[in-house]
Amino acid sequence: MKSLLPFELLAVTDIPAGDGAMTEVYLNRLSINSIEVPKENAHVECGNTFKIRFVNRGAPIHITATTSNAGMFTDFFHENMYVIDEVALGISLRKDCAPGFFDIDIIAGYGAMKATLRVEVIVKPTRGPQVLEKEPPVQPEAHGRPHLLMVAMALGLVLYSIWYYTKIEIINIAAFIVLIVGALFVWYRQT
């Protein structure tokens, strides 16, 4: 049977009842194309569905719900709706989002009226504070000053200076051996 009155049907998917938050927005209650959003911000947790129930108290109305800064929280961007009595809109939030907020602009009267609903996204802590155990260092820690290394460096510098002026090769070799032995001794002493 065909209806004599033209009408449009907006199909809305089922919104789970237990998850998320519900906010009501009243349309046409104060005047034609009026939009009444709650004064306080809406709160919803990551991974839940934020539900907006549009309640029309006047003649059927076209509205647009859009957001421009919700990309890091949800895939929702824009929805056109024809509201006769009541329509529900569900906005699913990602599970891995960070805390923050986004705004939903509700436009009626083909741009004549606009209202903004702020949605604060909260992240519920999954577990208590973590106690981090001290991990062993990748490199060995110094246990006090390496006095033997400093003595070996000083002795190597003296031997190298003597070689520089006398050009006796055995002194040059002795300077490098003293430096290498001092460095190896300090390295193996720390482990």
Side-chain angles (χ1 to χ4, degrees):
M1 179 170 181
K2 197 170 191 176
S3 173
L4 298 176
L5 297 173
F7 70 94
E8 296 177 20
L9 177 66
L10 176 66
V12 178
T13 60
D14 258 355
I15 302 171
D19 293 337
M22 172 70 95
T23 299
E24 288 189 349
V25 174
Y26 292 97
L27 307 169
N28 289 330
R29 190 160 74 165
L30 300 176
S31 64
I32 296 174
N33 293 328
S34 69
I35 305 167
E36 294 177 68
V37 296
K39 292 184 186 326
E40 64 277 348
N41 296 341
H43 300 281
V44 65
E45 291 181 11
C46 286
N48 287 345
T49 301
F50 176 62
K51 297 169 255 317
I52 305 173
R53 193 175 100 181
F54 295 98
V55 181
N56 187 6
R57 297 293 186 218
I61 184 173
H62 277 116
I63 63 168
T64 300
T66 183
T67 184
S68 60
N69 61 346
M72 54 193 273
F73 305 108
T74 182
D75 293 329
F76 174 79
F77 175 68
H78 181 83
E79 185 71 38
N80 289 321
M81 293 173 277
Y82 185 67
V83 183
I84 297 174
D85 289 326
E86 288 184 11
V87 171
L89 173 66
I91 300 172
S92 298
L93 271 67
R94 294 187 179 111
K95 292 181 180 179
D96 58 348
C97 59
F101 68 91
F102 63 93
D103 298 324
I104 299 174
D105 295 325
I106 302 163
I107 303 167
Y110 300 101
M113 301 294 278
K114 178 180 173 182
T116 301
L117 174 66
R118 175 152 290 184
V119 180
E120 292 185 10
V121 179
I122 54 178
V123 177
K124 193 174 191 178
T126 55
R127 48 187 132 127
Q130 297 178 352
V131 178
L132 297 177
E133 296 180 15
K134 185 177 178 184
E135 296 179 6
V138 176
Q139 296 179 350
E141 294 180 6
H143 302 288
R145 292 187 175 180
H147 297 293
L148 183 64
L149 181 61
M150 286 188 250
V151 170
M153 288 173 48
L155 183 60
L157 180 63
V158 169
L159 289 173
Y160 188 74
S161 298
I162 293 171
W163 168 81
Y164 187 73
Y165 289 108
T166 63
K167 299 296 183 195
I168 301 172
E169 292 298 323
I170 193 78
I171 297 174
N172 186 19
I173 296 170
F176 283 107
I177 291 173
V178 166
L179 287 174
I180 292 172
V181 168
L184 289 175
F185 178 77
V186 171
W187 179 265
Y188 286 112
R189 187 187 76 170
Q190 290 180 358
T191 58

